[in-house]
Amino acid sequence: MRDHPHSNLPGEPAMMGIMADDARPRILSGMQPTQDSLHLGNYLGAMTQWVALQNDYDAFYMLADLHALTVNPEPAALRERTRRTAAQYLAGGLDPDRATLFAQSHVAAHAELAWVLSCHTGYGEAGRMTQFKDKSAKRGGDGPSVGLFTYPVLMAADILLYDAALVPVGEDQRQHLELTRDLAERLNARFGPDTVVVPSPHIVRSIAKIYDLQNPTAKMSKSEASAKGTIWLLKDPQRAAKAVKSAVTDDGAEILFDPVAKPGVSNLLSIYAALTQRSMEDVVAEFEGRQYGHLKVALADVVVDVLIPFQEKVNTFLADPAELDAILARGAERAREVADQTLTRVYDRVGLLPPARSAWS
Ligand code: TRP
């Protein structure tokens, strides 16, 4: 029997995991608002997947604006990019009535839980994160910040606050996810097995793996972006068409899906199949006996046909920032309901005194 004085606090084990109003398993994911535009790799790799998951999961999709501070952005640029990222999520089909879309900084519990977790993270453990090592090697000036060092701890807090069963992220986040699991298990071992939910290590495969058009063995990514190798969702669609037409292709003339022997052509085929939502077989059959140039022209047209309506939708959202902010405010409210329960539970378990109720309230 429990005789714990706070056994009726919200967030106690009996209530863990499932919200009264939603029995779907939880997922959480996030993207940093560090760019003026998402690229096609984000769109096909993450966004379409998030949209697909919002039906069967109680999904929390976060604008990781606190994480974005690690690159020390200009304040106005950060604000603008945060809204632009939100607008792109919505234009991509994320539905604020089905999923919870919110800004990380609007939910104070993220920074608060991160502090507790940082007290349980080894200095060496954090130092072994390969992304930290890569990013700090690239940083000039004063070198890496403490924030960059503790970035994965904040990410663990993001995940654990929502009792997320699954975290749909790309391969590049695997190590951060493993740290999150280690921290969750450590907390449960020390403070009780139901202190936090250990998220599944399962990394959801992206629908299509998209590579740089000029360097088709490197992933299409914001940090490695070569000017002509990346398709930006919010830039001139004609420029994107040009980039497709000048994509690097492979020796030979035959159009085959063979990522090892023909990485360039295979990448174009993947993008084509993903954007037209057709099977690879189907697409390869369409181009049988035709030349690389045909594929490029066809893909350029498809890209333009996707970008134009997407940009129109984004512009509609950006034209009404008050509405956009209202959507984020609603999301933050729902996020806070869940996150605050977890934080209360963890604060209690680690031995922090519950704030006494004021005699006047
Ligand atoms: N680090 C992630 C990235 O760069 C973004 C992120 C922050 C995230 N917090 C998260 C992803 C929590 C998943 C879950 O892609």
Side-chain angles (χ1 to χ4, degrees), residues 171-186:
E171 190 56 39
D172 63 328
Q173 297 299 315
R174 180 184 288 278
Q175 199 188 23
H176 291 160
L177 211 58
E178 263 152 28
L179 176 70
T180 304
R181 283 172 53 80
D182 289 346
L183 287 172
E185 278 162 3
R186 197 169 299 160

Side-chain angles (χ1 to χ4, degrees), residues 11-19 26 163 188 193-198 341-342 345 349:
E12 283 290 305
M15 296 185 62
M16 244 176 66
I18 300 165
M19 290 288 290
R26 292 256 175 76
D163 295 337
N188 286 348
D194 45 14
T195 302
V196 285
V197 170
V198 182
Q341 284 192 22
T342 309
R345 186 172 73 232
R349 293 291 177 88

Side-chain angles (χ1 to χ4, degrees), residues 28-30 32 62 64 67 151 155 158-159 167 169 173:
L28 174 125
S29 197
Q32 296 186 68
M62 190 183 73
H67 278 113
Y151 177 117
M155 184 165 157
D158 300 338
I159 295 165
V167 185
V169 286
Q173 297 299 315

Side-chain angles (χ1 to χ4, degrees), residues 53-98:
L53 291 167
Q54 69 185 347
N55 295 322
D56 297 335
Y57 291 89
D58 183 14
F60 286 76
Y61 295 131
M62 190 183 73
L63 300 153
D65 54 355
L66 294 175
H67 278 113
L69 289 179
T70 56
V71 302
N72 302 142
E74 286 303 322
L78 177 59
R79 268 188 286 274
E80 170 71 14
R81 287 167 177 170
T82 303
R83 286 207 181 96
R84 286 170 84 107
T85 305
Q88 290 174 91
Y89 284 175
L90 294 165
L94 221 138
D95 177 357
D97 290 327
R98 272 185 284 181

Side-chain angles (χ1 to χ4, degrees), residues 104-351:
Q104 186 184 28
S105 64
H106 291 175
V107 182
H110 289 253
E112 294 171 298
L113 183 62
W115 173 254
V116 175
L117 295 178
S118 73
C119 295
H120 292 273
T121 309
Y123 189 84
E125 191 176 30
R128 281 194 294 277
M129 294 292 116
T130 56
Q131 212 163 67
F132 169 70
K133 290 194 272 188
D134 292 347
K135 285 184 184 173
S136 43
K138 280 183 197 151
R139 258 178 94 107
D142 297 331
S145 65
V146 173
L148 193 63
F149 187 62
T150 58
Y151 177 117
V153 178
L154 178 59
M155 184 165 157
D158 300 338
I159 295 165
L160 298 182
L161 279 175
Y162 297 91
D163 295 337
L166 211 71
V167 185
V169 286
E171 190 56 39
D172 63 328
Q173 297 299 315
R174 180 184 288 278
Q175 199 188 23
H176 291 160
L177 211 58
E178 263 152 28
L179 176 70
T180 304
R181 283 172 53 80
D182 289 346
L183 287 172
E185 278 162 3
R186 197 169 299 160
L187 254 57
N188 286 348
R190 171 87 196 270
F191 302 110
D194 45 14
T195 302
V196 285
V197 170
V198 182
S200 155
H202 180 67
I203 289 189
V204 181
R205 289 233 170 280
S206 51
I207 292 167
K209 232 182 169 175
I210 300 303
Y211 298 91
D212 189 288
L213 296 172
Q214 288 299 316
N215 180 13
T217 52
K219 138 178 149 163
M220 189 181 281
S221 104
K222 52 192 177 191
S223 39
E224 320 274 323
S226 68
K228 285 164 58 198
T230 304
I231 295 176
W232 298 101
L233 299 183
L234 298 186
K235 290 193 182 159
D236 179 9
Q238 295 310 326
R239 258 185 58 182
K242 252 191 220 158
V244 169
K245 288 178 188 164
S246 56
V248 165
T249 42
D250 316 294
D251 290 345
E254 226 184 328
I255 298 183
L256 287 176
F257 184 73
D258 181 347
V260 176
K262 290 190 176 250
V265 169
S266 300
N267 187 35
L268 299 180
L269 288 169
S270 298
I271 299 173
Y272 190 83
L275 290 179
T276 57
Q277 299 183 1
R278 288 167 52 192
S279 72
M280 184 55 78
E281 257 184 339
D282 208 24
V283 168
V284 170
E286 176 186 337
F287 290 101
E288 205 194 314
R290 303 177 71 193
Q291 290 160 1
Y292 291 167
H294 291 130
L295 171 60
K296 287 183 175 180
V297 170
L299 178 58
D301 286 347
V302 168
V303 167
V304 171
D305 286 348
V306 168
L307 291 195
I308 289 176
F310 180 82
Q311 294 184 0
E312 279 167 7
K313 280 189 214 152
V314 168
N315 289 334
T316 314
F317 286 114
L318 290 178
D320 192 352
E323 170 62 19
L324 200 59
D325 291 354
I327 291 173
L328 294 180
R330 260 200 293 143
E333 226 170 278
R334 165 99 211 282
R336 258 181 241 123
E337 273 172 27
V338 177
D340 288 351
Q341 284 192 22
T342 309
L343 185 73
T344 301
R345 186 172 73 232
V346 173
Y347 269 18
D348 177 57
R349 293 291 177 88
V350 303

